Amino acid sequence: MGGEWQLASSISEAWRFRGLHTAQAHPVGAFARPDWIPARVPGSVHADLIRAGLIADPNFGLASLEAEWVSARQWVYRRTFCLELSPSPRLHLCFEGADHGGEVYLNGEWLGSLAGTHTPVRLEVSGLDPDREHLLVVILPEPPAEAGQLGRTSQTQTLKPRAGYWWDFGARLVHVGLWRGVSLQADAGTALLDIWPRVTLAPDLNSAKVEVRAQLEGNAAVPVTFDLIHPDGRTETQTAVQTGEGQSSSFDLPDPQLWWPAQLGAQPLYTLRASVPGDSPQERRFGVRQVALIHNAESSARGARPYTLEVNGQPLYLRGFNLAPTDLIPGRDGMPDRERVLVTYALAAHANLLRVNGVGPVASRAILDACDEGGLLIWQEMPLTSSGTDNVPPHNPAFLAHLERDLPALVRHLRCHPCVVLLGGGNELTDERRVPVTGAEPTLQRMAQIVDTLDGTRPWLPSSPSGPEYDLSLEVAVNRPHDLHDVHGPWHYRGTDSYALHSVNRALAHTEFGCQAAPREATLHRYLTAGPLWPVDDRNPQVVHHGEWWLMHHRIEEVFGPVDDLSLYVLLTQAVQGDVLRHALLRNRARQGECSVSLVWQLNEPWPNAHNTSLIDYDLKPKLAYSRCREANAPTALDLGLAAPVADEHLILRPQVLAEVAGTGQLTLTLHTVSGMSLFHETRPLIWPAAPRSLTLTLPDQPALLRAELYSGAGTHLLARTEHWVARAQPQPFAALAQLPRTSLTAEQRGGQLSVHNSGAVAAPWVSVEAPAGATELFSDNGFALLPGETRELEVSLQTVAGAAWSGELTVRSVNADPVEVIWAEAVGGEQLRGQA
């Protein structure tokens, strides 16, 4: 029943007065006939209105303000259909989810109600006349009046995701629509509603049992046939009789193929197929693995909960990103492709975990399938979140009733996916004193009971942060570091002071921290269309509208001096975002025996922002910080141990290698002026893991480039590289970089590589390589510096969003070089996006 429907708006219940639910045609009269527009199901009302030209796309300029009326209407979906199914004893009209709820009419008669955003509903329509055309009408009410980012969590009444009610990463676009599938399903008396392969892996990992359960509706007892399809295609079959939902049969796996996170092994997937007589079969993919949270020595000593994730007995250091909603309008075309691109970007940045927090909807099927196949872990919180005024979980009867009705569907949506390794009650939930909740909180306790009943195979966290401190603060880090368990923050760029908190952090889990930046200049030009782009501060209404919490022009000028050029401004914001996030990630990773989790806020944004904490802008373009996070998370990374990129006169380095396996190599450290003059050069042998040895450098009067390169023991293979612009601590310490003389860049394709050369007499800081809209891109480095006469060879992977090879024009720029265009032709044998190291 998916595909083309029709849609009309209704102020309150005008649809009832006008008979929109009972009649397909309306005569000419005093009352205007309804104006039906084409609609898509599954889809979104906003997307249908954009396609019909009735609202401007809310992504552009200030247009979202003119679309807020959409959530003040009720919406009427309709379509006609004829039965095309073979005659069957029973027939059901099935809705996978309607946002938010609704009423269903068939041939003018009320058929039933739809539940909340996530909950499937089956309405029996047995006996429909096969020889007539039927009119199906679905009325969606106004969305519930929930709070945006600032409000009271205690007054929340539903599990509808609140991201669209206004959050710092998006506009107010309260979603409404038949956003999940609609179908007619026939059966012979018993319907197979759901199946679940519940896997128990033996402690020695050498055997597993797969308990297969089926949820049936209809006849009391029927044979259920289960086929277990192994990753190699081999099939085992069992038939059993069961009633209701419960254990029906089991398969023994004497030598199971284990599912592993991407960095630890392969991701073989089994398939369970179940069927009952007279109904369509169902399939679920699953992996054989076990997960647990365990203590490290420090979490045990502090009396904290365990934060170290263990997969198949292997402890992991969790590094990755918080995932925001993919789009505020989930009915847009190409959403599954966009979601798969985000998973690919995360894997290419060496992430092993995405936290899908309670601000947005749970991970989609496309995201879950991509993570199952790619080995990227998911920490999924239920759609419940903080609100600023209070963050107290709701106890009101309406919410508790919705919880009982709607939470089971979310658990069933998630439980077969091996990538989902952690479940949580919500984001940033606290008591009245802003102390993070514990498992004893009544609403969270009930959520945990429901999850345990329907799953029980994954660790559960009531919320994040989990306290006893909520924020990473300097006072606590210095005086009470034992109270830093799972903490959030900071998120704002504060000039050269941005590094201090991360340098003293002692948290066991740092599950949200960030730094803002502008997106690509091309992205700004594409979406900020309501006037001039400059100035990029609170004097510009559309800049405020597209990210009012993240303005940073004043901070950029504190560090770089006056900046009045948009291109320069964009590169500087992206440069500092990358520097701060790399510093935070490396400081956490260097404490790996103490810190178990390090997650950047945020990977993506669901709406185009002028400033935002995302690493990937709305057009799926990585900011320069993406490369710095990729560098810090790489299997072998260099940490210079800087407290900050500025110092009074002497800069103290503590170089060390952060790697997943022990090794030896040669470390070369250099310090150069912007003219390329060498101020320091040293090569030393290095063994890792080992405690770092301090080194003191005297800083020149002007900013200098500090670079470190790690080579293999033979000195022939580059294992890791890092570079930092450093300067003396003073007002506007890096002003000289923003005022450098112009230089010239050249670029050319050499097979699957892009060669970039600085032919000028001064350094080119933060060289940025960019592909246009429509191309997903990955370069082996980006945002790097080129000294005079230097060349950098970059590995390149370019694709369309749908995954095809891409060819076209690349742009290379720097803060002091005019953009250079180069035509990129598809390289024969080029690596795919995920494959780039």
Side-chain angles (χ1 to χ4, degrees):
M1 299 286 284
E4 295 299 319
W5 288 52
Q6 290 183 312
L7 181 70
S9 69
S10 172
I11 298 178
S12 189
E13 291 194 8
W15 58 268
R16 191 185 302 277
F17 175 78
R18 303 177 69 183
L20 301 190
H21 60 309
T22 60
Q24 184 175 349
H26 297 80
V28 175
F31 296 100
R33 288 171 290 178
D35 186 12
W36 296 96
I37 65 171
R40 296 181 187 174
V41 175
S44 302
V45 169
H46 287 90
D48 296 328
L49 294 173
I50 293 169
R51 283 189 287 265
L54 295 180
I55 62 171
D57 191 323
N59 285 348
F60 293 88
L62 303 174
S64 75
L65 298 173
E66 298 176 1
E68 290 185 8
W69 63 270
V70 174
S71 59
R73 298 289 194 271
Q74 297 190 18
W75 292 93
V76 183
Y77 281 86
R78 76 174 188 181
R79 66 159 294 167
T80 58
F81 67 93
C82 296
L83 286 181
E84 299 177 355
L85 300 172
S86 301
S88 299
R90 298 200 316 165
L91 187 65
H92 286 84
L93 185 61
C94 302
F95 295 83
E96 294 180 23
D99 195 4
H100 180 83
E103 302 297 324
V104 182
Y105 290 83
L106 184 61
N107 298 325
E109 298 293 329
W110 181 79
L111 187 61
S113 297
L114 302 180
T117 304
H118 325 278
T119 304
V121 170
R122 289 166 49 85
L123 301 173
E124 187 166 2
V125 292
S126 302
L128 277 185
D129 186 347
D131 297 322
R132 65 165 287 191
E133 185 178 67
H134 302 280
L135 174 65
L136 174 62
V137 178
V138 181
I139 314 293
L140 302 187
E142 300 93 340
E146 300 289 12
Q149 188 163 5
L150 300 177
R152 298 181 184 273
T153 302
S154 59
Q155 296 178 5
T156 301
Q157 300 210 13
T158 70
L159 284 174
K160 176 177 170 60
R162 284 172 41 207
Y165 286 87
W166 187 86
W167 222 260
D168 61 70
F169 51 60
R172 181 177 173 85
L173 288 174
V174 182
H175 179 253
V176 59
L178 281 176
W179 76 317
R180 296 288 184 255
V182 180
S183 60
L184 276 172
Q185 297 180 9
D187 64 70
T190 300
L192 180 61
L193 302 185
D194 190 32
I195 58 174
W196 179 33
R198 190 180 193 276
V199 180
T200 303
L201 184 59
D204 63 4
L205 310 182
N206 290 325
S207 64
K209 180 181 289 292
V210 183
E211 301 171 5
V212 291
R213 306 181 181 186
Q215 181 184 1
L216 305 180
E217 183 245 35
N219 291 347
V222 295
V224 183
T225 299
F226 294 102
D227 296 319
L228 179 64
I229 305 169
H230 293 247
D232 61 5
R234 181 168 47 92
T235 301
E236 300 179 58
T237 301
Q238 295 187 14
T239 300
V241 176
Q242 82 155 42
T243 60
E245 181 177 11
Q247 180 177 346
S248 177
S249 190
S250 64
F251 292 89
D252 291 322
L253 300 178
D255 233 348
Q257 297 187 50
L258 300 184
W259 187 96
W260 291 94
Q263 295 86 350
L264 297 182
Q267 296 79 45
L269 294 170
Y270 292 77
T271 299
L272 176 67
R273 180 190 298 130
S275 58
V276 297
D279 193 17
S280 300
Q282 290 205 26
E283 289 188 355
R284 298 288 185 272
R285 294 193 308 176
F286 67 97
V288 177
R289 59 103 182 97
Q290 62 182 11
V291 293
L293 286 175
I294 63 172
H295 280 289
N296 62 19
E298 189 62 26
S299 65
S300 182
R302 295 188 197 178
R305 66 171 63 247
Y307 292 107
T308 301
L309 184 74
E310 185 181 70
V311 180
N312 300 334
Q314 177 69 46
L316 273 75
Y317 175 69
L318 294 176
R319 51 180 178 253
F321 310 101
N322 286 265
L323 187 71
T326 310
D327 202 295
L328 293 182
I329 303 177
R332 290 187 187 272
D333 295 338
M335 287 296 294
D337 287 337
R338 288 177 62 88
E339 290 172 332
R340 282 189 283 269
V341 168
L342 291 174
V343 171
T344 300
Y345 271 135
L347 283 167
H350 311 292
N352 57 20
L353 180 72
L354 293 177
R355 174 176 172 251
V356 185
N357 85 9
V359 173
V362 298
S364 69
R365 292 170 186 165
I367 289 174
L368 293 170
D369 287 344
C371 290
D372 284 345
E373 296 161 6
L376 183 60
L377 305 177
I378 293 284
W379 170 5
Q380 178 65 67
E381 291 180 342
M382 298 303 111
L384 183 62
T385 185
S386 60
S387 303
T389 306
D390 84 46
N391 307 322
V392 178
H395 304 139
N396 61 76
F399 178 83
L400 296 178
H402 289 149
L403 183 68
E404 298 293 331
R405 183 192 69 184
D406 297 340
L407 187 58
L410 293 177
V411 179
R412 293 187 181 103
H413 171 74
L414 297 164
R415 64 185 179 182
C416 292
H417 293 276
C419 65
V420 181
V421 294
L422 288 171
L423 296 176
N427 172 61
E428 297 180 341
L429 304 174
T430 72
D431 66 13
E432 296 84 352
R433 296 169 297 126
R434 208 166 176 264
V435 175
V437 295
T438 68
E441 200 285 327
T443 297
L444 275 299
Q445 190 175 57
R446 179 56 188 149
M447 294 175 77
Q449 291 169 350
I450 295 172
V451 169
D452 188 60
T453 299
L454 295 175
D455 180 17
T457 66
R458 297 167 171 86
W460 167 266
L461 294 173
S463 184
S464 178
S466 53
E469 289 293 322
Y470 183 103
D471 296 307
L472 174 59
S473 75
L474 189 61
E475 184 274 327
V476 176
V478 172
N479 299 316
R480 294 183 286 116
H482 55 278
D483 285 338
L484 296 178
H485 296 180
D486 168 18
V487 298
H488 285 188
W491 298 270
H492 281 89
Y493 180 62
R494 302 188 184 278
T496 55
D497 292 337
S498 302
Y499 304 82
L501 268 177
H502 299 294
S503 295
V504 298
N505 184 13
R506 293 288 306 279
L508 301 171
H510 199 184
T511 52
E512 261 199 40
F513 58 91
C515 182
Q516 75 269 41
R520 293 270 177 92
E521 184 181 355
T523 304
L524 286 172
H525 281 291
R526 181 177 181 186
Y527 293 106
L528 271 66
T529 55
L533 288 174
W534 198 266
V536 283
D537 57 27
D538 60 5
R539 294 170 291 172
N540 190 328
Q542 65 173 341
V543 168
V544 172
H545 184 57
H546 287 257
E548 63 183 283
W549 281 21
W550 304 107
L551 305 182
M552 61 187 302
H553 192 186
H554 62 300
R555 294 294 190 184
I556 291 297
E557 292 196 330
E558 289 174 7
V559 175
F560 295 98
V563 176
D564 57 8
D565 176 79
L566 181 64
S567 298
L568 174 62
Y569 176 79
V570 167
L571 282 180
L572 294 179
T573 69
Q574 293 198 12
V576 299
Q577 181 192 35
D579 206 48
V580 170
L581 292 181
R582 172 178 59 184
H583 177 78
L585 288 169
L586 289 173
R587 293 296 84 226
N588 286 341
R589 188 174 177 182
R591 301 184 298 111
Q592 189 166 330
E594 175 179 71
C595 179
S596 297
V597 191
S598 184
L599 303 177
V600 170
W601 176 266
Q602 66 212 75
L603 179 65
N604 61 305
E605 61 184 18
W607 186 71
N609 286 268
H611 298 92
N612 190 251
T613 49
S614 67
L615 300 181
I616 311 292
D617 73 27
Y618 181 81
D619 271 354
L620 298 178
K621 295 304 180 185
K623 300 177 184 177
L624 299 184
Y626 174 82
S627 292
R628 301 289 70 77
C629 292
R630 192 165 177 251
E631 171 193 326
N633 286 334
T636 302
L638 271 173
D639 175 23
L640 298 187
L642 299 177
V646 295
D648 288 336
E649 183 177 355
H650 301 290
L651 191 70
I652 300 175
L653 282 64
R654 295 178 177 86
Q656 63 177 323
V657 177
L658 304 177
E660 296 169 357
V661 296
T664 61
Q666 299 287 325
L667 177 67
T668 297
L669 289 165
T670 59
L671 186 67
H672 286 90
T673 67
V674 294
S675 66
M677 184 175 69
S678 177
L679 301 175
F680 177 83
H681 186 286
E682 176 186 282
T683 298
R684 62 167 71 172
L686 213 58
I687 300 174
W688 62 89
R693 179 166 58 90
S694 296
L695 173 68
T696 300
L697 296 181
T698 300
L699 289 171
D701 292 335
Q702 295 296 316
L705 180 65
L706 174 64
R707 184 180 285 165
E709 294 177 324
L710 178 68
Y711 288 87
S712 60
T716 56
H717 179 59
L718 181 66
L719 301 177
R721 175 194 287 121
T722 190
E723 55 188 27
H724 304 254
W725 286 100
V726 294
R728 294 201 175 197
Q730 57 187 327
Q732 302 174 0
F734 291 102
L737 295 183
Q739 301 164 9
L740 282 174
R742 307 298 288 176
T743 190
S744 297
L745 298 176
T746 59
E748 63 176 325
Q749 181 178 357
R750 295 178 179 175
Q753 292 185 323
L754 180 69
S755 178
V756 183
H757 177 72
N758 178 8
S759 58
V762 295
W766 301 300
V767 176
S768 174
V769 186
E770 306 169 1
T776 62
E777 59 193 69
L778 188 68
F779 307 104
S780 55
D781 198 2
N782 212 353
F784 52 89
L786 286 178
L787 293 171
E790 281 191 332
T791 300
R792 183 74 58 89
E793 306 285 344
L794 306 178
E795 299 293 332
V796 177
S797 177
L798 300 166
Q799 296 179 10
T800 67
V801 174
W806 182 91
S807 299
E809 194 171 70
L810 298 180
T811 302
V812 184
R813 66 179 77 232
S814 172
V815 298
N816 61 333
D818 294 332
V820 175
E821 312 293 346
V822 58
I823 300 299
W824 182 265
E826 181 181 352
V828 178
E831 294 285 345
Q832 295 297 304
L833 179 64
R834 180 187 163 189
Q836 296 294 327

